[in-house]
Amino acid sequence: MAAHRSGPLKQQNKAHKGGRHRGRGSAQRDGKGRVELKILCKKVRKELSRVDQRHRANQLRKQKKEAVLAEKRQLGSKDGPPHQVLVVALHNRISLSEAFRLLQDRDMGTVHLNEWGSTYSFMLLCPRLKHRWFFTSARPGDLHSVLDMAKVADTILFLLDPQEGWDSTGDYCLSCLFAQGLPTYTLAVQGFSGIPLKKQIDARKKLSKAVEKRFPDDRLLLLDTQQEAATLLRQLANQKRRHLAFRDRRAYLFTHAADFVPSEENKLVGTLKISGYVRGQTLNVNSLLHIVGHGDFQMKQIDAPIDPFPLNPKVIKSQKDSGMAMEVCASDVASDMEEDLKVLMKADPDRQESLQTEVIPDPMEGEQTWPTEEELSEAKDYLKEGSKVVKKVPKGTSSYQAEWILDEGGESGGERDEDDDTEQDFMEEESQDEKSEEEEEEEECETMTIGDSVRDDLYDEKMDEEAEEKTLEKYKQERMEEMFPDEMDTPRDVAAKIRFQKYRGLKSFRTSPWDPKENLPRDYARIFQFQNFTNTRKRIFKEIEEKEDEGAEVGWYVTLHVSEVPFSVVEYFRKGAPLIAFSLLPHEQKMSVLNMVVSRNPGNTEPVKAKEELIFHCGFRRFRASPLFSQHTAADKHKLQRFLTADAALVVTVYAPITFPPASVLLFKQKSNGMHSLVATGHLLSVDPDRMVIKRVVLSGHPFKIFTKMAVVRYMFFNREDVLWFKPVELRTKWGRRGHIREPLGTHGHMKCSFDGKLKSQDTVLMNLYKRVFPKWTYDPYVPEPVPWVKSEISSTVPELDME
């Protein structure tokens, strides 16, 4: 047997890498007794078994189901507020009085009628179903009343026509309600029994096909007989609830009765007593109260009178506390005995929210105090040390002679003084720029003339020539803005460096830095700003969910004493308009800068210019303001849009009270005839005064002589000084070239420019200039009542109608 002989190629194994991996002993020796910090975990995570996981999921599912059932049972019960139903007719052939007659079924329960002004409502108490409803309707043609009542309604009952479903007015109303946010709703068809039996099936199919565009997968109920009305009531009581986010975190109240007690000093201002059922959250007397369309107010006290619409009066009598010793039905006796018992809560001046909406600016806040003697002596010593300059002098020169010898830069002092003078002139001319801008805009708006009309005299009588002239001018400006965005002609009577002295050039609009605290207007000293708005919003919402607040519970019938309310609020209520009150969250009475994302309503084509007064429905608020429009981007700078465009969503910036999102936003514009037309819809984005809206101005010039990469450009400026002033700003062309100004040529504004490529003769040279703009402070919580809807007026905003 032959022995093994190793070959010439020997196997070489890898050496053990002992330096990289350390054992426990070596690690302890290196640590020399040091112990690592232990991480304390508050929550002990236990791994549940599969059976326990299934059991936990069943428990969570059961809790959610019980919470939904409890919410459904509380609404309309004896312990909860009445089920408020807003009835909206979507066609002019719908009869509200007939629908209310069918719903007022005496066999179902007790009916309490309530009528004020032109608004009709009633309370239906049904002990058999253990439910009570409050049916109400808005004034005919009053869109703002419909929107306000929809904010607090539990259910909206839409009445449809059996043939068309809804007309142009109903479609306009649906567009506004969908944009604001719909609560629970039900569809009912009135007048279906009037159609012949043979045509009812086809009419139902046609109506379902028309309705499914707005309401897919929704059931249509009939409302022609008492039996169908009873079925509709059961559907209203048992259907699934839909929530509106902006009202679930606030207490709100629909006014059933109101009384006014004038003050002794001024009869036009006094205490307003409003009575109604508390909804949403617990109402605290120390919080502020917002009356929709009238402003923010403080409450003095909250009373708890007897519920005027109890579900079971006998049961309530037996459940009364024996210590009260009175009968509910004996109102005349109880009124004297209940004086001490019905006051639920009085306001605490130390805990009550303040009505301060603005910061009072201190004009001396930025001033410097007078320095002390020590600081003055230190400053003199520092100047002496800094004034010692090393100079090259001939040998043997004394210090006195050296003071008279000028160095090479000795003549710079005069130049520095000249620069200071120019800077002072620059600051003086800066104040004149705003006036010149406004005068130019006014002049541009007044130079348009309209030719004589050739239409009939009867048609001309109804036409407002001034409104037509302004609208035509806006259409022309909007068209010019689409064709030549941000372009402006350089003025010839004013130097460009004076006209555009507030503007600056940017290397890149996206990446170039811009300080948001730079050159702020005086209005910014009046507003409030959060250090971190998102964290503040989360903290307040968390306190609402976890903290149990003191006050009137949900479902209680209370009377609120609201102080310092003008008498016009009561007159507004007595005319038949709804009076709705919302409690405010902390800081919601303070003014700040609100940013809202909106999209143009496709039914409105009239041009809307920036800083034009619009009517806002933002969450539970309604106010007037003049907004700015800007692009909706993720950058830190956002370009101003001069008009509300229809192709993309824009951000609306406005001065308004703080509102915590989510909240829906509707924008209306008041026409010359008093009508309010829906302009845009959207939602509240943020409360951020640091969001920068940048206005861009584009100056254009034309190539006069073109060389390889050089060109002589004219008509951008008209004097030599302007060319030298704007020389550092980068140029661009419409065909994508970039360049710079080399030097001016002559004295008429011609300039030699270099580009990164050869120019075309048909190309245009552009220069972009930027400045930050701010909205106007025109906030007004009072909105005038609009003119009621007229079908001919609504047709101008609905595209489906024939304009002939």
Side-chain angles (χ1 to χ4, degrees):
M1 184 175 179
H4 174 70
R5 295 180 180 179
S6 59
L9 302 175
K10 294 185 179 294
Q11 180 180 354
Q12 294 180 356
N13 295 327
K14 290 183 178 180
H16 178 65
K17 299 178 180 178
R20 290 190 179 180
H21 305 284
R22 296 190 304 166
R24 185 181 300 173
S26 62
Q28 290 178 354
R29 284 192 300 271
D30 295 340
K32 294 180 181 180
R34 287 177 294 186
V35 182
E36 294 182 358
L37 293 175
K38 293 183 179 180
I39 300 174
L40 298 177
C41 183
K42 294 181 180 180
K43 294 183 179 179
V44 180
R45 296 183 180 180
K46 295 182 179 180
E47 294 183 1
L48 301 177
S49 63
R50 185 167 296 179
V51 178
D52 294 338
Q53 290 178 3
R54 191 180 298 114
H55 181 61
R56 185 182 179 185
N58 290 335
Q59 284 183 332
L60 293 175
R61 191 182 304 114
K62 186 178 180 181
Q63 290 175 1
K64 291 181 180 179
K65 188 176 181 180
E66 290 177 353
V68 171
L69 289 175
E71 181 189 2
K72 187 182 294 185
R73 288 167 184 164
Q74 185 187 16
L75 182 63
S77 64
K78 62 175 183 175
D79 299 325
H83 190 156
Q84 185 167 341
V85 181
L86 172 62
V87 183
V88 179
L90 298 179
H91 203 280
N92 57 1
R93 288 198 291 261
I94 298 297
S95 174
L96 275 177
S97 59
E98 178 66 19
F100 277 26
R101 185 188 65 80
L102 293 173
L103 292 172
Q104 295 171 5
D105 190 359
R106 302 287 179 176
D107 298 335
M108 294 288 293
T110 308
V111 178
H112 297 272
L113 300 178
N114 185 10
E115 184 173 2
W116 64 85
S118 58
T119 304
Y120 186 68
S121 63
F122 68 93
M123 186 78 71
L124 176 61
L125 309 177
C126 184
R128 187 175 65 184
L129 296 178
K130 299 180 180 179
H131 209 85
R132 52 180 177 171
W133 290 273
F134 177 59
F135 288 91
T136 183
S137 63
R139 293 182 296 179
D142 191 354
L143 177 62
H144 290 309
S145 295
V146 174
L147 294 177
D148 291 342
M149 298 175 76
K151 294 173 184 176
V152 296
D154 299 311
T155 303
I156 299 180
L157 176 60
F158 292 113
L159 299 181
L160 307 179
D161 183 71
Q163 297 178 356
E164 299 179 6
W166 52 74
D167 56 5
S168 60
T169 306
D171 186 73
Y172 180 63
C173 179
L174 283 176
S175 300
C176 298
L177 288 173
F178 269 92
Q180 179 177 267
L182 276 181
T184 309
Y185 62 88
T186 302
L187 306 178
V189 183
Q190 188 188 62
F192 202 80
S193 58
I195 301 177
L197 293 175
K198 295 183 179 179
K199 298 182 179 180
Q200 284 187 2
I201 298 177
D202 295 337
R204 184 184 290 270
K205 290 181 180 179
K206 184 179 178 181
L207 181 62
S208 300
K209 190 174 181 181
V211 167
E212 69 181 2
K213 297 178 181 178
R214 289 269 192 188
F215 305 97
D217 303 328
D218 283 323
R219 180 185 174 191
L220 293 176
L221 301 177
L222 302 180
L223 186 59
D224 290 324
T225 61
Q226 295 285 356
Q227 185 178 1
E228 293 171 350
T231 305
L232 177 62
L233 289 176
R234 291 188 178 90
Q235 171 69 15
L236 293 175
N238 299 324
Q239 67 182 146
K240 185 180 178 182
R241 302 284 100 202
R242 297 180 63 179
H243 296 272
L244 294 179
F246 71 87
R247 74 180 187 185
D248 287 344
R249 296 184 178 93
R250 300 171 178 87
Y252 57 96
L253 180 140
F254 181 85
T255 303
H256 290 263
D259 189 18
F260 183 77
V261 179
S263 62
E264 297 179 357
E265 296 82 7
N266 188 0
K267 299 297 182 181
L268 298 178
V269 178
T271 301
L272 177 66
K273 298 179 181 179
I274 55 176
S275 301
Y277 294 91
V278 180
R279 302 170 185 268
Q281 296 287 336
T282 303
L283 179 60
N284 193 339
V285 71
N286 293 319
S287 62
L288 296 179
L289 196 71
H290 175 78
I291 300 178
V292 177
H294 300 282
D296 304 334
F297 304 94
Q298 286 181 332
M299 290 181 284
K300 289 183 179 179
Q301 70 181 37
I302 300 178
D303 299 341
I306 298 174
D307 191 345
F309 308 108
L311 189 59
N312 296 310
K314 294 182 181 179
V315 177
I316 292 178
K317 288 179 185 178
S318 62
Q319 287 183 352
K320 276 288 180 181
D321 188 10
S322 58
M324 298 178 69
M326 60 182 174
E327 293 286 338
V328 174
C329 59
S331 58
D332 52 346
V333 179
S335 60
D336 297 331
M337 301 178 63
E338 271 191 308
E339 290 296 331
D340 298 332
L341 299 176
K342 72 176 185 178
V343 176
L344 185 65
M345 196 176 182
K346 286 190 175 182
D348 186 2
D350 297 332
R351 300 174 55 190
Q352 194 171 25
E353 288 282 345
S354 173
L355 277 174
Q356 182 185 5
T357 59
E358 303 175 14
V359 180
I360 301 175
D362 185 6
M364 304 297 294
E365 185 177 1
E367 295 294 328
Q368 184 181 2
T369 57
W370 188 259
T372 62
E373 295 181 359
E374 296 179 356
E375 293 175 345
L376 289 173
S377 60
E378 290 178 0
K380 289 180 180 178
D381 297 339
Y382 179 77
L383 289 174
K384 288 180 180 179
E385 293 178 359
S387 60
K388 295 180 180 179
V389 181
V390 179
K391 298 182 180 180
K392 291 183 179 181
V393 295
K395 290 182 180 182
T397 306
S398 64
S399 59
Y400 176 77
Q401 292 174 337
E403 291 292 335
W404 291 92
I405 298 177
L406 297 176
D407 57 355
E408 295 179 356
E411 298 176 357
S412 60
E415 295 177 1
R416 191 175 302 162
D417 294 339
E418 291 178 3
D419 293 338
D420 293 340
D421 294 338
T422 55
E423 287 179 4
Q424 289 181 356
D425 296 338
F426 183 86
M427 296 300 294
E428 292 174 359
E429 292 166 355
E430 187 176 1
S431 61
Q432 300 175 0
D433 178 56
E434 296 181 358
K435 298 180 180 179
S436 62
E437 276 190 80
E438 295 176 357
E439 291 174 359
E440 288 180 7
E441 290 178 358
E442 292 177 358
E443 290 175 0
E444 290 176 1
C445 295
E446 294 176 356
T447 52
M448 192 62 205
T449 55
I450 305 294
D452 295 336
S453 177
V454 199
R455 297 191 178 99
D456 300 332
D457 296 337
L458 295 177
Y459 190 80
D460 290 341
E461 291 179 358
K462 301 179 182 180
M463 181 182 296
D464 189 354
E465 296 183 0
E466 293 183 1
E468 289 285 325
E469 186 176 349
K470 292 180 180 178
T471 306
L472 179 60
E473 181 66 24
K474 287 182 182 178
Y475 272 114
K476 288 189 175 183
Q477 292 179 4
E478 186 180 27
R479 191 172 300 172
M480 290 295 293
E481 182 67 20
E482 292 178 359
M483 296 173 61
F484 308 101
D486 302 324
E487 289 196 25
M488 181 181 291
D489 294 334
T490 307
R492 305 191 64 173
D493 54 345
V494 182
K497 68 177 183 179
I498 298 176
R499 173 63 181 84
F500 303 110
Q501 59 184 345
K502 288 187 177 182
Y503 292 81
R504 69 182 71 176
L506 294 179
K507 179 71 175 177
S508 172
F509 183 77
R510 184 178 61 87
T511 60
S512 295
W514 197 310
D515 186 8
K517 304 295 185 183
E518 177 186 357
N519 294 333
L520 297 178
R522 287 188 174 268
D523 289 337
Y524 263 54
R526 302 164 58 186
I527 65 173
F528 291 84
Q529 182 178 7
F530 294 99
Q531 188 174 4
N532 192 324
F533 176 74
T534 305
N535 289 350
T536 305
R537 172 177 170 271
K538 289 181 180 178
R539 177 181 57 80
I540 291 176
F541 286 177
K542 190 176 181 180
E543 289 178 357
I544 294 173
E545 296 175 358
E546 297 178 354
K547 185 179 178 182
E548 294 183 0
D549 202 358
E550 299 178 355
E553 299 289 339
V554 176
W556 290 4
Y557 185 82
V558 297
T559 299
L560 309 180
H561 295 248
V562 190
S563 58
E564 302 296 329
V565 180
F567 183 71
S568 59
V569 179
V570 185
E571 290 182 336
Y572 179 77
F573 176 72
R574 290 172 181 172
K575 290 179 182 178
L579 202 61
I580 297 166
F582 276 85
S583 66
L584 297 181
L585 299 180
H587 312 296
E588 283 196 329
Q589 79 277 14
K590 300 173 182 176
M591 295 291 291
S592 188
V593 178
L594 270 61
N595 302 305
M596 315 167 189
V597 180
V598 299
S599 299
R600 185 69 184 265
N601 181 30
N604 187 286
T605 58
E606 186 177 351
V608 180
K609 199 173 182 181
K611 296 186 179 181
E612 189 175 349
E613 187 180 77
L614 299 176
I615 298 170
F616 287 75
H617 279 252
C618 180
F620 56 90
R621 292 187 184 273
R622 187 172 76 236
F623 57 89
R624 293 184 296 170
S626 301
L628 289 178
F629 305 135
S630 60
Q631 293 179 349
H632 183 33
T633 58
D636 61 338
K637 296 182 288 294
H638 312 272
K639 193 175 80 67
L640 173 75
Q641 295 290 331
R642 289 174 170 82
F643 289 90
L644 185 62
T645 57
D647 53 350
L650 298 179
V651 175
V652 172
T653 303
V654 68
Y655 289 116
I658 294 169
T659 303
F660 291 102
S664 59
V665 175
L666 281 77
L667 270 64
F668 291 88
K669 182 180 177 182
Q670 185 170 0
K671 297 183 178 179
S672 57
N673 56 3
M675 291 281 296
H676 291 177
S677 60
L678 182 64
V679 172
T681 59
H683 64 275
L684 180 61
L685 177 64
S686 64
V687 179
D688 185 14
D690 286 342
R691 187 181 185 276
M692 293 185 291
V693 180
I694 308 300
K695 180 180 179 181
R696 185 182 71 171
V697 167
V698 180
L699 304 181
S700 60
H702 301 275
F704 178 50
K705 296 178 182 179
I706 300 176
F707 304 98
T708 308
K709 288 188 178 181
M710 302 283 291
V712 178
V713 180
R714 60 179 178 178
Y715 302 147
M716 182 178 288
F717 303 108
F718 297 98
N719 57 68
R720 184 183 183 88
E721 290 76 13
D722 289 342
V723 177
L724 293 173
W725 180 267
F726 291 100
K727 186 177 179 181
V729 184
E730 186 181 20
L731 301 176
R732 66 178 181 90
T733 69
K734 289 189 175 182
W735 286 30
R737 298 297 181 192
R738 291 184 176 272
H740 289 278
I741 300 174
R742 284 294 184 88
E743 57 180 350
L745 299 176
T747 59
H748 294 283
H750 291 207
M751 54 188 180
K752 185 189 293 185
C753 305
S754 62
F755 295 91
D756 57 357
K758 188 174 182 180
L759 291 185
K760 302 290 185 180
S761 59
Q762 63 270 31
D763 204 350
T764 306
V765 181
L766 306 175
M767 175 183 289
N768 295 339
L769 300 175
Y770 304 92
K771 80 166 181 176
R772 185 178 178 183
V773 291
F774 303 91
K776 288 183 178 180
W777 192 293
T778 58
Y779 171 78
D780 186 3
Y782 175 72
V783 178
E785 296 184 17
V787 175
W789 293 336
V790 182
K791 190 169 183 180
S792 61
E793 299 290 345
I794 293 292
S795 63
S796 62
T797 61
V798 180
E800 290 84 6
L801 297 180
D802 188 3
M803 296 302 294
E804 296 179 0

